[in-house]
Amino acid sequence: MDNRYLQQFKKGSLEMILLCLIGRRETYGYEIITELNRSAGVLGYAKEGTIYPILYRLQQAQLIQCRLAPAAANGGSKKYYSLTEKGRGVLEELLAFWSSYESCVNGFIDSYRQGEVSQ
Amino acid sequence: MREEYIRQIRRQPALSRKAKKEIIRDLNEIFDSALEHGETEQQVARRLGSPRDFAASAAAQLDPDRAAPKGGKGRLALLFCLVAAAALAGSAGMNAAKAPAGAIGQADAMTHIQVTGGLGLDLPALLLAAGLAAAAAALVCMILALGQHRR
C-alpha cells in the first residue's frame, strides 16, 4: 500500500495525541518519545526530529507551555511541558470532533463491509 | 557527533538567534536524556534527521516569516530595480532624441502646429521621477531584506 495514506492519518492525529499525553501530567521530551514508542506502535517509530517541531508549533499556538528544571541525572536541564487553558479547550474540542469523526468513518466502513458480504 | 550536529544547527540561516538558542538547549537535553538511557549520540542524530531538515522544520514553527520561501523583499527590490532602469533609460532616450531648444533645421518643410489641448505633461520628466521613485523603493526593499537576513 502507498505509505502516503498512512502518513496522512498519522500527521492529522499526532498533535491531538501529544496534547493528550501532555494533558495527562507534566512531561518532558524524552518521556513523550518513549511513551509514544511504547504504547503507540501503530503510529510508527516516534523520532525527536518529528516530535519537536510539533511541540514548537503547539507552544507557538499557546496550547502548551513549558518550564525548565534542573536534571539531576545529567547536570543539564529538562523542559517540562503542560497544557495551557487554551490547550485544554482545544483538546476538548478535538476529542469531541474525533468521536463524531470516528462514528462517521465507521459508518462508511460498515456499509462497505455489508456491501462486500452481500456480493 | 553532538558537537558537530549543534555546530551545523548554528550555521543554519533559516533560524533566528533566539530560535537557535532554544533549539540548541533542546538538543542538549535530547542528547543528555538519550545518553542517560544508554543510547549513543549516533542513534540520537539518526532520529533527529539532518541538521538542515531539523532546522527547517523547527524554523517553520518558530520563525515562520523567516522560514517562508526566501527572497520576498529581495525579489521586490529586483523588480523595482528593473522598473527604475527601464524608466531612467526611457527618460534618457527621450531626452537624447529631443532637439535642443532653438535648434534650426529640424524640419524639411514648413510645419503648422496647432495646439488643441494637453495636460502639459513632460514624459521624460515623468519617467525620470518614476525611475527615481522605483530606485528608492528598491533601496528600501534591499535594506529590509538585509535586515531580515541578519536578524
Side-chain angles (χ1 to χ4, degrees):
Chain A
M1 183 176 37
D2 194 333
N3 207 26
R4 275 180 308 174
Y5 300 125
L6 298 180
Q7 291 298 334
Q8 289 299 325
F9 280 131
K10 291 178 199 172
K11 247 188 205 172
S13 57
L14 200 47
E15 295 193 11
M16 189 175 73
I17 292 171
L18 285 178
L19 287 174
C20 283
L21 274 175
I22 295 169
R24 223 171 36 175
R25 63 163 194 279
E26 209 181 36
T27 183
Y28 58 93
Y30 195 81
E31 198 173 50
I32 293 172
I33 305 276
T34 311
E35 180 77 32
L36 281 173
N37 286 327
R38 199 181 55 213
S39 48
V42 70
L43 291 174
Y45 192 60
K47 298 174 189 167
E48 284 88 343
T50 311
I51 301 302
Y52 269 83
I54 300 176
L55 289 174
Y56 292 140
R57 179 158 67 239
L58 296 174
Q59 207 179 327
Q60 288 296 102
Q62 297 175 339
L63 302 185
I64 60 172
Q65 59 198 358
C66 62
R67 70 175 178 91
L68 287 177
N74 55 42
S77 62
K78 272 195 176 109
K79 198 185 253 184
Y80 284 89
Y81 298 95
S82 60
L83 281 192
T84 60
E85 278 305 306
K86 187 182 173 189
R88 203 163 287 282
V90 168
L91 177 58
E92 288 302 328
E93 281 175 34
L94 285 173
L95 294 178
F97 175 77
W98 183 264
S99 294
S100 46
Y101 180 77
E102 187 192 14
S103 44
C104 170
V105 173
N106 283 343
F108 283 109
I109 294 171
D110 287 345
S111 68
Y112 166 73
R113 293 266 185 250
Q114 280 162 14
E116 207 179 28
V117 168
S118 62
Q119 269 176 14
Chain B
M1 179 63 89
R2 176 205 302 225
E3 294 310 317
E4 174 58 22
Y5 199 94
I6 290 175
R7 195 176 63 81
Q8 288 193 40
I9 287 287
R10 275 204 181 96
R11 286 167 45 189
Q12 295 304 316
L15 293 164
S16 67
R17 231 173 285 171
K18 191 180 164 207
K20 271 181 201 168
K21 201 177 158 193
E22 181 168 2
I23 290 171
I24 289 168
R25 197 224 66 84
D26 288 341
L27 285 171
N28 276 316
E29 179 188 326
I30 290 168
F31 277 104
D32 284 343
S33 298
L35 293 180
E36 195 188 312
H37 289 85
E39 294 190 79
T40 64
E41 290 187 349
Q42 280 83 354
Q43 283 175 296
V44 182
R46 250 199 313 276
R47 286 206 306 264
L48 285 166
S50 78
R52 194 175 166 188
D53 288 346
F54 186 78
S57 323
Q61 311 309 325
L62 294 171
D63 286 320
D65 293 342
R66 201 181 172 99
K70 285 277 167 220
K73 291 192 177 69
R75 266 199 296 270
L76 205 56
L78 182 65
L79 182 71
F80 278 130
C81 276
L82 289 173
V83 170
L88 292 173
S91 168
M94 287 176 115
N95 274 329
K98 203 193 272 179
I104 300 168
Q106 283 299 305
D108 295 334
M110 287 259 295
T111 45
H112 174 73
I113 299 168
Q114 188 177 4
V115 178
T116 55
L119 298 171
L121 294 176
D122 183 356
L123 195 56
L126 276 178
L127 280 175
L128 181 67
L132 289 175
L139 192 66
V140 169
C141 286
M142 275 189 259
I143 291 168
L144 288 175
L146 282 173
Q148 192 180 28
H149 184 71
R150 281 186 189 147
R151 190 163 35 103

